[in-house]
Amino acid sequence: MSETAMVRAQDVHKSFGSLEVLKGVDLVVEPGEVCCVLGPSGSGKSTFLRCINHLEKLNAGRIFVDGDLIGYRERGGKLHELKEKEVAEQRRSIGMVFQRFNLFPHMTVLDNVMEAPCRVKRENKGEVRERAAALLDRVGLAAKVDSYPGQLSGGQQQRVAIARALAMRPKLMLFDEPTSALDPELVGEVLDVMKDLARDGMTMVVVTHEIGFAREVGDKLIFMDGGVVVEQGPPREVIANPQQERTKAFLGKVL
């Protein structure tokens, strides 16, 4: 198995009470790869994504990001959970964009993007301001730096959320159905930003229903159902010629 992997998940299990949501998920994502995760609602996709940055604790298995065991320290074959401060330190290098934008409504767009580098990393405010302005320009929102989230469309808010995640200079970006809460005509502007990131070599794990994006941008496609990886491979191959009946049935409904 790859020693250089950006993400390496080994036999990941996660339950909520008696409900077993993840039943032994294995995954390798290499640096610079875009891994798209498809699957029906309730298949465990979002839960798995949240496990990667330890927003959910594992019941069994291990997840490594850039060689670091996430959320735990291993001693004598046993896992011991890290302190919250140590987990927060690990999360600094993992950007996450959710379905909902979670912007601070009382802060301008620029201040939303500057907040984490200034408060969490205690970086120089002037340097952070320059970087934040450049990121907002990159996502097509240079004219909105002084606006408040409530003055923006959903697509614009999601682009601010992406700029905010990038402001921490992550080595890995996680996207949890970033376009599912958007009006259809706003989806393209968010996907365009994500395509631009992919072209720049950002490692991304994207839970999505956007089959076209997966086909065009993805390096790897994972189809999950019932808490397991049913099928994986190059997106064009899996979409055009799925090998598993469950994958065929799902794609037959969404294509």
Side-chain angles (χ1 to χ4, degrees):
M1 188 169 281
S2 170
E3 289 303 312
T4 62
M6 181 59 75
V7 180
R8 185 152 42 103
Q10 299 173 328
D11 196 27
V12 171
H13 289 255
K14 174 64 186 175
S15 298
F16 296 100
S18 60
L19 178 66
E20 195 179 8
V21 179
L22 299 176
K23 303 173 182 174
V25 174
D26 293 295
L27 176 66
V28 174
V29 182
E30 300 292 351
E33 268 192 337
V34 177
C35 174
C36 294
V37 186
L38 300 181
S41 195
S43 58
K45 310 182 302 292
S46 292
T47 298
F48 175 64
L49 205 67
R50 290 169 66 82
C51 287
I52 294 176
N53 65 355
H54 204 63
L55 288 173
E56 300 292 353
K57 299 174 183 182
L58 308 186
N59 293 105
R62 289 161 175 71
I63 295 177
F64 299 85
V65 172
D66 202 18
D68 291 331
L69 179 60
I70 295 296
Y72 301 92
R73 182 175 287 109
E74 190 164 357
R75 276 202 214 103
K78 284 202 171 138
L79 294 183
H80 303 269
E81 193 167 7
L82 297 176
K83 295 188 175 74
E84 186 53 44
K85 192 176 175 186
E86 296 170 295
V87 175
E89 183 70 34
Q90 290 185 326
R91 283 198 193 116
R92 288 183 185 189
S93 61
I94 304 171
M96 185 151 187
V97 177
F98 300 87
Q99 293 179 36
R100 297 287 166 191
F101 325 121
N102 303 328
L103 300 175
F104 296 115
H106 62 289
M107 289 184 179
T108 66
V109 163
L110 186 66
D111 287 338
N112 263 282
V113 177
M114 289 176 62
E115 174 73 0
C118 288
R119 185 175 292 249
V120 178
K121 284 189 168 179
R122 307 212 180 287
E123 290 187 48
N124 177 282
K125 204 165 185 178
E127 290 172 12
V128 173
R129 185 181 298 277
E130 273 184 35
R131 187 160 85 241
L135 285 167
L136 287 165
D137 183 41
R138 178 175 181 177
V139 300
L141 293 172
K144 299 289 186 182
V145 290
D146 296 322
S147 300
Y148 288 86
Q151 298 170 308
L152 304 182
S153 71
Q156 289 171 328
Q157 289 187 59
Q158 191 61 295
R159 284 186 278 153
V160 174
I162 293 172
R164 179 182 58 182
L166 291 173
M168 290 291 280
R169 295 175 169 152
K171 50 190 166 189
L172 169 67
M173 285 285 284
L174 308 176
F175 291 88
D176 188 5
E177 299 192 17
T179 59
S180 65
L182 300 179
D183 293 332
E185 67 268 25
L186 301 177
V187 167
E189 63 190 48
V190 173
L191 293 180
D192 283 344
V193 171
M194 294 168 64
K195 289 174 187 174
D196 183 50
L197 280 181
R199 277 192 292 270
D200 271 7
M202 174 63 75
T203 312
M204 295 154 63
V205 182
V206 185
V207 171
T208 185
H209 292 294
E210 302 291 338
I211 305 287
F213 174 84
R215 185 194 284 119
E216 182 186 343
V217 183
D219 299 298
K220 180 176 288 178
L221 187 141
I222 306 289
F223 175 68
M224 285 182 70
D225 190 32
V228 298
V229 175
V230 175
E231 186 163 351
Q232 62 175 297
R236 288 169 192 267
E237 284 179 28
V238 174
I239 292 165
N241 188 24
Q243 300 301 301
Q244 303 298 322
E245 289 305 319
R246 185 65 194 90
T247 318
K248 286 179 192 171
F250 175 79
L251 289 171
K253 287 197 180 105
V254 298
L255 285 176

